[in-house]
Amino acid sequence: MTAPLFPGRARRSVAALGAVSAGLLLLSACDKPTPLATVTVGSSSVSAESDCRGDGSDLTMDRVQECLTDLKDAKTIEYGRGDTLRLGVEPEIVEDGKKWQAVLDGQPITEPSANTYRSFQGADVFATGGQGEAPQSKMLGFVQVGEDGKPLAVWSFKLKLKN
C-alpha cells in the first residue's frame, strides 16, 4: 500500500487556494464599474452607471446628444409638480479637476460644478411657460466634463410626470 502524496487537509488547502486564484483572475478581467449618479424625488431614488463614456478620451457633442436623447432603458423616477429634485454623484466623478452638469431635455440647467450634490426645492421641471400642454416625461442627464470643459461621460434618467 502506498501513502498518499498529500494528506487530505493539504489537498483541500491547495484546492481552495486554486479556486481563489482562479476567481481573482476572472474578476481582474471584468470591467471596473463606473461611478454612480443618483436622482432623488421625495423618498424615491434611482441610481445608474454612465450610459456613455469616452474611455480616456473626450466624447463628441453628437455622441453626447445621442446619449441624452436616444436611451430606451434609462432609469425612471416619478416627479410631481413642486417636488424637491435632488441630484447627486459619487466623489470619483469630480476628482482631478473634473466637474458635472445637469441637462434637462438637452438644455443645461446648472453650471458645471465640483460639488457632489445639488437640490432644487419646489422646482417645476414640467412647466411650459403657458405654451401648450406639459409633456409626460423628460430626459435628465448628468454630463461629466474635464478641466478643459469637454464631455467625458453621460448618465441619463427619465423624469415621469406624476398625475
Side-chain angles (χ1 to χ4, degrees):
M1 186 174 269
T2 60
L5 189 55
F6 293 108
R9 183 183 222 176
R11 277 191 301 240
R12 286 190 299 273
S13 295
V14 168
L17 182 61
V20 168
S21 297
L24 290 173
L25 181 62
L26 287 173
L27 284 176
S28 67
C30 296
D31 289 332
K32 180 180 172 188
T34 61
L36 297 176
T38 302
V39 177
T40 303
V41 178
S43 61
S44 299
S45 291
V46 291
S47 296
E49 290 187 23
S50 67
D51 300 303
C52 301
R53 291 190 75 72
D55 293 325
S57 61
D58 302 334
L59 292 172
T60 65
M61 289 311 291
D62 288 341
R63 180 75 177 127
V64 170
Q65 281 302 101
E66 182 182 312
C67 294
L68 291 171
T69 57
D70 292 342
L71 290 176
K72 312 278 188 272
D73 59 348
K75 299 272 181 118
T76 301
I77 189 164
E78 286 193 342
Y79 179 86
R81 288 191 163 93
D83 284 349
T84 299
L85 178 65
R86 295 176 183 89
L87 312 177
V89 298
E90 289 187 343
E92 185 179 330
I93 293 173
V94 294
E95 287 178 347
D96 303 323
K98 297 175 190 141
K99 297 181 178 183
W100 68 282
Q101 180 173 22
V103 177
L104 186 65
D105 276 351
Q107 299 300 314
I109 58 172
T110 66
E111 293 295 320
S113 173
N115 295 327
T116 58
Y117 176 79
R118 300 289 304 258
S119 179
F120 303 93
Q121 189 169 355
D124 186 0
V125 298
F126 288 95
T128 62
Q131 299 182 11
E133 190 174 329
Q136 293 301 303
S137 67
K138 289 197 173 197
M139 292 303 294
L140 174 66
F142 296 27
V143 179
Q144 179 190 40
V145 295
E147 289 182 271
D148 57 3
K150 294 185 178 174
L152 302 172
V154 177
W155 292 257
S156 296
F157 299 89
K158 182 186 279 188
L159 294 177
K160 183 178 174 188
L161 182 60
K162 207 186 289 184
N163 292 329

